[in-house]
Amino acid sequence: MCRTGCKTRDHKTWGECARAGRLNIGYCGIGGVTATAQKAWDHELDMYRKARAEGIQPDSTKLNKIEDAMRKSDAAGAAYGRDFSVAAPMPD
Ligand SMILES: [Zn+2]
């Protein structure tokens, strides 16, 4: 169930693998007193690239959308935007 590019390839689930790949960056660094706007932007771009590397296609390049897509991907065990997306409400 490992993603392409996984270094260890010993993860039981896609989500586990995806989380392991993100351990280095985590969800930190944003909003800290020392974080500059440039750093935040770099972080956002980095997160976006990471998401895309996993096949995830966030709704936008905004960090909250990226994290949202990553969370949904983890929960579903599939890549948001590629394997699934939020379904539009069914018309009656
Ligand atoms: Zn893995």
Coordinates of all heavy atoms in Angstrom, one line a residue:
M1 N 0.8 -1.2 0.0 CA 0.0 0.0 0.0 C 0.9 1.3 0.0 O 0.4 2.3 0.3 CB -0.9 0.0 1.2 CG -2.1 -1.0 1.1 SD -3.1 -0.7 -0.3 CE -4.0 0.8 0.2
C2 N 2.2 1.1 -0.2 CA 3.0 2.3 -0.1 C 2.9 3.2 -1.4 O 2.6 2.7 -2.5 CB 4.5 1.9 0.1 SG 4.8 1.5 1.8
R3 N 3.2 4.4 -1.1 CA 3.1 5.4 -2.3 C 4.4 5.2 -3.1 O 5.4 4.7 -2.5 CB 3.1 6.8 -1.7 CG 1.9 7.1 -0.9 CD 2.2 8.3 0.0 NE 3.4 8.1 0.8 CZ 4.3 9.1 1.1 NH1 4.0 10.3 0.8 NH2 5.3 8.9 1.8
T4 N 4.3 5.5 -4.3 CA 5.6 5.5 -5.1 C 6.5 6.5 -4.5 O 6.1 7.6 -4.1 CB 5.3 5.9 -6.6 OG1 4.4 7.0 -6.6 CG2 4.7 4.8 -7.3
G5 N 7.8 6.2 -4.3 CA 8.7 7.1 -3.8 C 8.9 6.9 -2.3 O 9.8 7.5 -1.7
C6 N 8.1 6.0 -1.7 CA 8.3 5.7 -0.2 C 9.7 5.1 0.0 O 10.0 4.2 -0.8 CB 7.2 4.8 0.3 SG 7.4 4.3 2.0
K7 N 10.4 5.6 1.0 CA 11.8 5.1 1.2 C 11.8 3.7 1.8 O 12.6 2.8 1.5 CB 12.6 6.0 2.0 CG 12.9 7.3 1.2 CD 13.9 8.1 2.0 CE 14.3 9.4 1.2 NZ 13.1 10.3 1.0
T8 N 10.9 3.5 2.8 CA 10.9 2.2 3.5 C 10.0 1.1 3.0 O 10.3 -0.1 3.1 CB 10.6 2.5 5.0 OG1 9.3 3.1 5.1 CG2 11.6 3.4 5.6
R9 N 8.9 1.5 2.4 CA 8.0 0.6 1.8 C 7.5 -0.5 2.7 O 7.4 -1.7 2.3 CB 8.6 0.0 0.5 CG 9.1 1.0 -0.5 CD 9.3 0.4 -1.9 NE 8.0 0.2 -2.5 CZ 7.3 1.2 -3.1 NH1 7.8 2.4 -3.2 NH2 6.1 0.9 -3.7
D10 N 7.3 -0.1 4.0 CA 6.9 -1.2 4.9 C 5.6 -0.7 5.6 O 5.3 -1.2 6.7 CB 8.0 -1.4 6.0 CG 8.3 -0.2 6.7 OD1 7.8 0.9 6.4 OD2 9.1 -0.3 7.7
H11 N 4.8 0.1 5.0 CA 3.6 0.6 5.6 C 2.4 -0.3 5.3 O 2.3 -0.7 4.1 CB 3.4 2.1 5.3 CG 4.5 2.9 5.7 ND1 5.4 3.4 4.7 CD2 5.0 3.3 6.9 CE1 6.4 4.1 5.4 NE2 6.1 4.1 6.7
K12 N 1.5 -0.4 6.3 CA 0.4 -1.3 6.1 C -0.7 -0.6 5.2 O -1.4 -1.3 4.5 CB -0.2 -1.7 7.4 CG 0.7 -2.8 8.1 CD 0.0 -3.4 9.3 CE 0.2 -2.5 10.5 NZ 1.6 -2.3 11.0
T13 N -0.8 0.7 5.4 CA -1.9 1.4 4.7 C -1.3 2.6 4.0 O -0.2 3.1 4.3 CB -3.0 1.9 5.7 OG1 -2.4 2.9 6.5 CG2 -3.5 0.8 6.5
W14 N -2.1 3.1 3.1 CA -1.7 4.3 2.3 C -1.6 5.5 3.3 O -0.6 6.3 3.2 CB -2.8 4.6 1.2 CG -2.4 5.6 0.3 CD1 -1.8 5.5 -0.9 CD2 -2.6 7.0 0.5 NE1 -1.6 6.7 -1.5 CE2 -2.1 7.7 -0.7 CE3 -3.1 7.8 1.5 CZ2 -2.1 9.0 -0.9 CZ3 -3.1 9.2 1.3 CH2 -2.6 9.8 0.2
G15 N -2.5 5.6 4.2 CA -2.5 6.7 5.1 C -1.3 6.7 6.0 O -0.7 7.7 6.3
E16 N -0.9 5.5 6.5 CA 0.2 5.4 7.3 C 1.5 5.8 6.6 O 2.3 6.5 7.1 CB 0.4 3.9 7.8 CG 1.4 3.7 8.9 CD 1.4 2.2 9.3 OE1 0.4 1.6 9.5 OE2 2.5 1.7 9.3
C17 N 1.6 5.4 5.3 CA 2.7 5.7 4.5 C 2.7 7.2 4.3 O 3.8 7.9 4.4 CB 2.6 5.0 3.2 SG 4.0 5.2 2.1
A18 N 1.6 7.8 4.0 CA 1.5 9.2 3.7 C 1.9 10.0 4.9 O 2.7 11.0 4.8 CB 0.1 9.6 3.3
R19 N 1.5 9.6 6.1 CA 1.8 10.3 7.3 C 3.3 10.2 7.6 O 4.0 11.2 8.0 CB 1.0 9.8 8.5 CG -0.3 10.4 8.7 CD -1.0 10.0 10.0 NE -1.3 8.6 10.0 CZ -2.3 8.0 9.5 NH1 -3.2 8.8 8.9 NH2 -2.5 6.8 9.6
A20 N 3.9 9.0 7.4 CA 5.3 8.8 7.6 C 6.1 9.7 6.7 O 7.1 10.3 7.1 CB 5.7 7.4 7.3
G21 N 5.6 9.9 5.5 CA 6.4 10.8 4.6 C 6.3 12.3 5.0 O 7.0 13.1 4.5
R22 N 5.4 12.6 5.9 CA 5.2 14.0 6.3 C 5.8 14.3 7.6 O 5.8 15.4 8.1 CB 3.8 14.3 6.3 CG 3.1 14.5 5.0 CD 1.7 14.9 5.1 NE 0.9 14.2 4.1 CZ -0.2 13.6 4.3 NH1 -0.7 13.5 5.5 NH2 -0.8 13.0 3.3
L23 N 6.4 13.3 8.3 CA 6.9 13.5 9.6 C 7.9 14.6 9.7 O 8.0 15.3 10.7 CB 7.6 12.2 10.1 CG 6.6 11.1 10.6 CD1 7.3 9.9 11.1 CD2 5.6 11.6 11.6
N24 N 8.7 14.8 8.6 CA 9.7 15.8 8.7 C 9.2 17.2 8.7 O 9.8 18.1 9.3 CB 10.6 15.6 7.4 CG 11.5 14.4 7.5 OD1 11.7 13.9 8.6 ND2 11.9 13.9 6.4
I25 N 8.1 17.4 8.1 CA 7.5 18.8 8.1 C 6.4 19.0 9.1 O 6.3 20.0 9.7 CB 7.1 19.2 6.7 CG1 6.2 18.2 6.1 CG2 8.3 19.4 5.9 CD1 5.6 18.7 4.8
G26 N 5.6 17.9 9.3 CA 4.5 18.1 10.2 C 3.5 19.2 9.8 O 3.6 19.7 8.7
Y27 N 2.7 19.6 10.8 CA 1.8 20.7 10.5 C 2.2 21.9 11.4 O 1.4 22.5 12.0 CB 0.4 20.3 10.9 CG -0.1 19.2 10.0 CD1 -0.4 17.9 10.4 CD2 -0.3 19.5 8.6 CE1 -0.9 17.0 9.6 CE2 -0.8 18.5 7.8 CZ -1.1 17.2 8.2 OH -1.6 16.3 7.4
C28 N 3.5 22.2 11.4 CA 4.0 23.2 12.3 C 4.7 24.3 11.4 O 4.8 24.2 10.2 CB 4.9 22.7 13.3 SG 6.4 21.9 12.6
G29 N 5.1 25.3 12.1 CA 5.9 26.4 11.3 C 5.0 27.5 10.8 O 5.5 28.5 10.4
I30 N 3.7 27.3 10.9 CA 2.8 28.4 10.4 C 2.3 29.2 11.6 O 1.9 28.6 12.6 CB 1.7 27.8 9.6 CG1 2.2 27.2 8.3 CG2 0.6 28.9 9.3 CD1 2.7 28.3 7.3
G31 N 2.4 30.4 11.6 CA 1.8 31.3 12.6 C 2.7 31.5 13.8 O 2.4 32.2 14.7
G32 N 3.9 30.9 13.8 CA 4.8 31.1 14.8 C 5.4 32.5 14.8 O 5.4 33.2 13.8
V33 N 5.8 33.0 15.9 CA 6.3 34.4 16.0 C 7.5 34.6 15.1 O 7.7 35.8 14.6 CB 6.6 34.8 17.4 CG1 5.3 35.0 18.2 CG2 7.5 33.8 18.1
T34 N 8.2 33.6 14.9 CA 9.4 33.8 14.0 C 9.2 33.6 12.6 O 10.0 33.8 11.7 CB 10.6 32.9 14.5 OG1 10.2 31.6 14.4 CG2 11.0 33.2 15.9
A35 N 8.0 33.0 12.2 CA 7.7 32.7 10.9 C 7.5 34.0 10.1 O 6.6 34.8 10.4 CB 6.6 31.8 10.8
T36 N 8.2 34.2 9.0 CA 8.0 35.3 8.1 C 6.9 34.9 7.1 O 6.7 33.7 6.9 CB 9.3 35.7 7.4 OG1 9.7 34.6 6.6 CG2 10.4 36.0 8.4
A37 N 6.4 35.9 6.4 CA 5.4 35.6 5.4 C 6.0 34.7 4.3 O 5.4 33.8 3.8 CB 4.9 36.9 4.8
Q38 N 7.3 35.0 4.0 CA 8.0 34.2 3.0 C 8.1 32.8 3.4 O 7.8 31.9 2.6 CB 9.4 34.8 2.7 CG 10.2 34.1 1.6 CD 9.5 34.2 0.3 OE1 9.0 35.2 -0.1 NE2 9.4 33.0 -0.4
K39 N 8.5 32.5 4.6 CA 8.6 31.2 5.1 C 7.2 30.5 5.0 O 7.2 29.3 4.7 CB 9.1 31.1 6.6 CG 10.6 31.1 6.6 CD 11.0 30.9 8.1 CE 12.5 30.9 8.2 NZ 12.9 31.1 9.6
A40 N 6.2 31.2 5.4 CA 4.9 30.6 5.4 C 4.5 30.2 3.9 O 3.9 29.1 3.7 CB 3.8 31.6 5.9
W41 N 4.9 31.1 3.0 CA 4.6 30.8 1.6 C 5.4 29.6 1.1 O 4.8 28.8 0.4 CB 4.8 32.1 0.8 CG 4.1 32.1 -0.5 CD1 2.8 32.1 -0.6 CD2 4.7 32.0 -1.8 NE1 2.4 32.1 -2.0 CE2 3.6 32.0 -2.7 CE3 6.0 32.0 -2.3 CZ2 3.8 32.0 -4.1 CZ3 6.2 32.0 -3.7 CH2 5.1 32.0 -4.5
D42 N 6.6 29.6 1.5 CA 7.5 28.4 1.1 C 6.9 27.1 1.7 O 6.8 26.1 1.0 CB 8.9 28.6 1.7 CG 9.7 29.6 0.9 OD1 9.2 30.0 -0.2 OD2 10.7 30.0 1.4
H43 N 6.4 27.2 2.9 CA 5.8 26.0 3.6 C 4.6 25.6 2.8 O 4.4 24.4 2.5 CB 5.5 26.4 5.0 CG 4.8 25.2 5.7 ND1 5.6 24.1 6.2 CD2 3.6 25.0 6.1 CE1 4.7 23.3 6.8 NE2 3.5 23.8 6.8
E44 N 3.8 26.6 2.4 CA 2.6 26.3 1.7 C 2.9 25.6 0.3 O 2.3 24.6 0.0 CB 1.8 27.6 1.4 CG 0.4 27.5 1.1 CD -0.3 28.8 1.2 OE1 -0.2 29.6 0.3 OE2 -1.0 29.0 2.2
L45 N 3.9 26.2 -0.4 CA 4.3 25.6 -1.6 C 4.8 24.2 -1.4 O 4.6 23.3 -2.2 CB 5.4 26.4 -2.3 CG 4.9 27.6 -3.1 CD1 6.1 28.3 -3.7 CD2 4.0 27.1 -4.2
D46 N 5.6 24.0 -0.4 CA 6.2 22.7 -0.1 C 5.1 21.7 0.2 O 5.2 20.5 -0.3 CB 7.1 22.8 1.1 CG 8.0 21.6 1.3 OD1 8.6 21.1 0.4 OD2 8.0 21.1 2.5
M47 N 4.1 22.1 1.0 CA 3.0 21.2 1.3 C 2.2 20.9 0.0 O 1.8 19.7 -0.2 CB 2.1 21.9 2.3 CG 2.6 22.0 3.7 SD 2.8 20.4 4.6 CE 1.2 20.2 5.1
Y48 N 2.1 21.8 -0.8 CA 1.3 21.6 -2.0 C 2.1 20.6 -2.9 O 1.5 19.7 -3.5 CB 1.1 22.9 -2.8 CG 0.3 22.8 -4.0 CD1 -1.1 22.7 -3.9 CD2 0.8 22.8 -5.3 CE1 -1.9 22.5 -5.0 CE2 0.0 22.6 -6.4 CZ -1.4 22.5 -6.2 OH -2.2 22.3 -7.3
R49 N 3.4 20.8 -3.0 CA 4.2 19.9 -3.8 C 4.1 18.5 -3.3 O 4.0 17.5 -4.0 CB 5.7 20.3 -3.9 CG 6.0 21.3 -5.0 CD 7.5 21.4 -5.2 NE 8.1 22.0 -4.0 CZ 8.3 23.3 -4.0 NH1 8.0 24.1 -4.9 NH2 8.9 23.8 -2.9
K50 N 4.2 18.4 -1.9 CA 4.1 17.1 -1.3 C 2.8 16.4 -1.6 O 2.7 15.2 -1.8 CB 4.3 17.2 0.2 CG 5.3 16.3 0.8 CD 5.8 16.7 2.2 CE 6.5 15.5 2.8 NZ 7.7 15.0 2.1
A51 N 1.7 17.2 -1.5 CA 0.4 16.7 -1.7 C 0.3 16.1 -3.2 O -0.1 15.0 -3.4 CB -0.7 17.7 -1.5
R52 N 0.8 17.0 -4.1 CA 0.8 16.6 -5.5 C 1.6 15.3 -5.8 O 1.3 14.5 -6.6 CB 1.2 17.7 -6.4 CG 0.3 18.9 -6.4 CD -1.1 18.5 -6.8 NE -1.2 17.7 -8.0 CZ -1.4 18.3 -9.2 NH1 -1.7 19.6 -9.3 NH2 -1.5 17.5 -10.3
A53 N 2.7 15.2 -5.0 CA 3.6 14.0 -5.2 C 2.9 12.8 -4.8 O 3.2 11.7 -5.2 CB 4.9 14.2 -4.4
E54 N 1.9 12.9 -3.9 CA 1.1 11.8 -3.4 C -0.1 11.6 -4.3 O -0.9 10.7 -4.0 CB 0.7 12.0 -1.9 CG 1.9 12.0 -1.0 CD 1.4 12.4 0.4 OE1 0.2 12.5 0.7 OE2 2.3 12.7 1.2
G55 N -0.2 12.4 -5.3 CA -1.4 12.2 -6.2 C -2.6 13.0 -5.7 O -3.6 13.0 -6.4
I56 N -2.4 13.7 -4.6 CA -3.5 14.6 -4.1 C -3.6 15.9 -4.9 O -2.6 16.5 -5.2 CB -3.3 14.9 -2.6 CG1 -3.3 13.6 -1.8 CG2 -4.3 15.8 -2.1 CD1 -2.8 13.8 -0.4
Q57 N -4.8 16.3 -5.2 CA -5.0 17.5 -5.9 C -5.9 18.4 -5.1 O -7.1 18.4 -5.1 CB -5.6 17.3 -7.3 CG -4.7 16.5 -8.2 CD -5.3 16.2 -9.5 OE1 -6.5 16.2 -9.7 NE2 -4.5 16.0 -10.5
P58 N -5.3 19.2 -4.2 CA -6.0 20.1 -3.3 C -6.9 21.1 -4.2 O -6.6 21.4 -5.3 CB -5.0 20.9 -2.6 CG -3.7 20.1 -2.7 CD -3.8 19.4 -4.0
D59 N -8.0 21.6 -3.5 CA -8.9 22.5 -4.2 C -8.2 23.8 -4.6 O -8.5 24.5 -5.5 CB -10.1 22.8 -3.3 CG -10.9 21.5 -3.2 OD1 -10.9 20.7 -4.1 OD2 -11.6 21.4 -2.2
S60 N -7.2 24.2 -3.8 CA -6.4 25.4 -4.1 C -5.0 25.2 -3.4 O -4.7 24.2 -2.8 CB -7.1 26.6 -3.5 OG -6.7 26.8 -2.2
T61 N -4.1 26.2 -3.6 CA -2.8 26.1 -3.1 C -2.7 26.7 -1.7 O -1.7 26.9 -1.1 CB -1.8 26.9 -4.0 OG1 -2.2 28.2 -4.1 CG2 -1.7 26.2 -5.3
K62 N -3.9 27.1 -1.1 CA -3.9 27.6 0.2 C -3.7 26.4 1.2 O -4.2 25.4 1.0 CB -5.3 28.2 0.5 CG -5.5 29.6 -0.2 CD -4.6 30.6 0.5 CE -4.3 31.8 -0.5 NZ -3.0 32.4 -0.2
L63 N -3.0 26.8 2.3 CA -2.6 25.7 3.2 C -3.7 25.0 3.8 O -3.7 23.8 3.9 CB -1.7 26.3 4.3 CG -1.0 25.3 5.2 CD1 0.0 24.5 4.4 CD2 -0.3 26.0 6.4
N64 N -4.8 25.7 4.1 CA -5.9 25.0 4.8 C -6.6 24.1 3.8 O -7.0 23.0 4.2 CB -6.9 26.0 5.4 CG -7.6 26.9 4.3 OD1 -7.0 27.1 3.2 ND2 -8.7 27.4 4.6
K65 N -6.6 24.4 2.5 CA -7.2 23.5 1.5 C -6.3 22.3 1.3 O -6.7 21.2 1.1 CB -7.4 24.3 0.2 CG -8.5 25.2 0.2 CD -9.8 24.5 0.3 CE -11.0 25.5 0.2 NZ -12.3 24.8 0.4
I66 N -5.0 22.5 1.4 CA -4.0 21.4 1.2 C -4.1 20.5 2.3 O -4.3 19.3 2.2 CB -2.6 22.0 1.1 CG1 -2.4 22.9 -0.1 CG2 -1.6 20.8 1.0 CD1 -1.2 23.7 -0.1
E67 N -4.2 21.0 3.6 CA -4.3 20.1 4.7 C -5.6 19.4 4.8 O -5.7 18.3 5.2 CB -4.1 21.0 6.0 CG -2.6 21.4 6.2 CD -2.4 22.1 7.5 OE1 -3.4 22.5 8.2 OE2 -1.2 22.3 7.9
D68 N -6.6 20.1 4.3 CA -7.9 19.5 4.3 C -7.9 18.3 3.3 O -8.4 17.3 3.6 CB -8.9 20.6 3.8 CG -10.4 20.1 3.9 OD1 -10.7 19.6 5.0 OD2 -11.1 20.2 2.9
A69 N -7.3 18.5 2.2 CA -7.2 17.5 1.2 C -6.4 16.3 1.7 O -6.7 15.1 1.5 CB -6.6 18.0 -0.1
M70 N -5.3 16.6 2.4 CA -4.5 15.6 3.0 C -5.2 14.8 4.1 O -5.1 13.6 4.1 CB -3.2 16.2 3.6 CG -2.2 16.6 2.6 SD -0.7 17.3 3.4 CE 0.5 17.1 2.0
R71 N -6.0 15.5 4.9 CA -6.7 14.8 5.9 C -7.8 13.9 5.3 O -8.0 12.8 5.8 CB -7.4 15.9 6.8 CG -6.6 16.2 8.1 CD -7.4 17.0 9.1 NE -7.9 18.2 8.6 CZ -7.2 19.4 8.7 NH1 -6.1 19.4 9.3 NH2 -7.7 20.5 8.2
K72 N -8.4 14.4 4.3 CA -9.5 13.6 3.7 C -8.8 12.4 3.0 O -9.4 11.3 3.0 CB -10.2 14.4 2.6 CG -11.2 15.3 3.3 CD -11.9 16.3 2.3 CE -12.9 17.1 2.9 NZ -13.1 18.4 2.2
S73 N -7.6 12.6 2.4 CA -6.9 11.5 1.8 C -6.5 10.4 2.8 O -6.7 9.2 2.6 CB -5.7 12.0 1.1 OG -6.0 12.9 0.1
D74 N -6.0 10.9 4.0 CA -5.7 10.0 5.0 C -6.9 9.2 5.5 O -6.8 8.0 5.7 CB -5.1 10.7 6.2 CG -3.6 11.1 6.0 OD1 -3.1 10.6 5.0 OD2 -3.1 11.8 6.9
A75 N -8.0 9.9 5.7 CA -9.2 9.2 6.2 C -9.7 8.2 5.2 O -10.2 7.1 5.6 CB -10.3 10.3 6.5
A76 N -9.6 8.5 3.9 CA -10.2 7.7 2.9 C -9.1 6.6 2.4 O -9.5 5.6 1.8 CB -10.6 8.5 1.7
G77 N -7.9 6.8 2.7 CA -6.9 5.9 2.2 C -6.7 6.0 0.7 O -6.4 5.1 0.0
A78 N -7.0 7.2 0.2 CA -6.9 7.4 -1.3 C -6.5 8.9 -1.5 O -6.6 9.7 -0.6 CB -8.2 7.0 -2.0
A79 N -6.1 9.2 -2.7 CA -5.7 10.5 -3.0 C -6.9 11.4 -3.4 O -7.5 11.2 -4.4 CB -4.7 10.5 -4.1
Y80 N -7.1 12.4 -2.5 CA -8.2 13.4 -2.8 C -7.9 14.1 -4.1 O -6.8 14.5 -4.4 CB -8.2 14.4 -1.6 CG -9.2 15.5 -1.8 CD1 -10.5 15.3 -1.4 CD2 -8.9 16.7 -2.4 CE1 -11.5 16.3 -1.6 CE2 -9.8 17.7 -2.6 CZ -11.1 17.5 -2.2 OH -12.0 18.5 -2.4
G81 N -8.9 14.3 -4.9 CA -8.8 15.0 -6.1 C -8.5 14.1 -7.3 O -8.8 14.4 -8.4
R82 N -7.8 13.0 -7.0 CA -7.5 12.0 -8.1 C -8.4 10.8 -8.0 O -9.1 10.4 -8.9 CB -6.0 11.6 -8.0 CG -5.6 10.6 -9.1 CD -4.3 10.0 -8.9 NE -4.3 9.1 -7.7 CZ -3.3 8.5 -7.2 NH1 -2.1 8.7 -7.7 NH2 -3.4 7.7 -6.2
D83 N -8.4 10.2 -6.8 CA -9.1 8.9 -6.6 C -10.6 9.2 -6.1 O -11.5 8.4 -6.3 CB -8.5 8.1 -5.5 CG -7.1 7.7 -5.9 OD1 -6.8 7.5 -7.1 OD2 -6.2 7.5 -5.0
F84 N -10.7 10.4 -5.5 CA -12.1 10.8 -5.1 C -12.1 12.3 -4.8 O -11.0 12.9 -4.8 CB -12.5 10.0 -3.8 CG -11.8 10.5 -2.6 CD1 -12.5 11.4 -1.7 CD2 -10.5 10.2 -2.3 CE1 -11.9 11.9 -0.6 CE2 -9.9 10.7 -1.2 CZ -10.6 11.5 -0.3
S85 N -13.3 12.8 -4.7 CA -13.4 14.2 -4.3 C -14.7 14.3 -3.6 O -15.5 13.4 -3.6 CB -13.3 15.2 -5.5 OG -14.4 14.9 -6.4
V86 N -14.9 15.5 -3.0 CA -16.2 15.7 -2.3 C -17.3 15.7 -3.3 O -17.3 16.6 -4.2 CB -16.2 17.0 -1.5 CG1 -17.5 17.2 -0.8 CG2 -15.1 16.9 -0.4
A87 N -18.2 14.8 -3.2 CA -19.3 14.7 -4.2 C -20.3 15.9 -4.0 O -20.5 16.4 -2.9 CB -20.1 13.4 -4.0
A88 N -20.7 16.4 -5.2 CA -21.7 17.4 -5.1 C -23.0 16.8 -4.7 O -23.2 15.6 -4.9 CB -21.8 18.0 -6.5
P89 N -23.8 17.6 -4.0 CA -25.1 17.0 -3.5 C -25.9 16.5 -4.7 O -25.9 17.2 -5.8 CB -25.8 18.3 -2.9 CG -24.6 19.2 -2.6 CD -23.6 19.0 -3.6
M90 N -26.5 15.4 -4.5 CA -27.3 14.8 -5.6 C -28.5 15.6 -5.8 O -29.2 16.0 -4.8 CB -27.7 13.4 -5.2 CG -26.5 12.4 -5.2 SD -25.9 12.0 -6.8 CE -27.1 10.9 -7.4
P91 N -28.9 15.9 -7.0 CA -30.2 16.6 -7.2 C -31.3 15.7 -6.9 O -31.2 14.5 -7.1 CB -30.1 17.0 -8.7 CG -29.1 16.0 -9.3 CD -28.1 15.6 -8.2
D92 N -32.4 16.3 -6.5 CA -33.6 15.5 -6.2 C -34.2 14.9 -7.4 O -34.2 15.5 -8.4 CB -34.6 16.3 -5.4 CG -34.1 16.6 -4.0 OD1 -33.4 15.7 -3.4 OD2 -34.3 17.7 -3.5
Ligands
ZN1 ZN 5.4 3.6 2.8

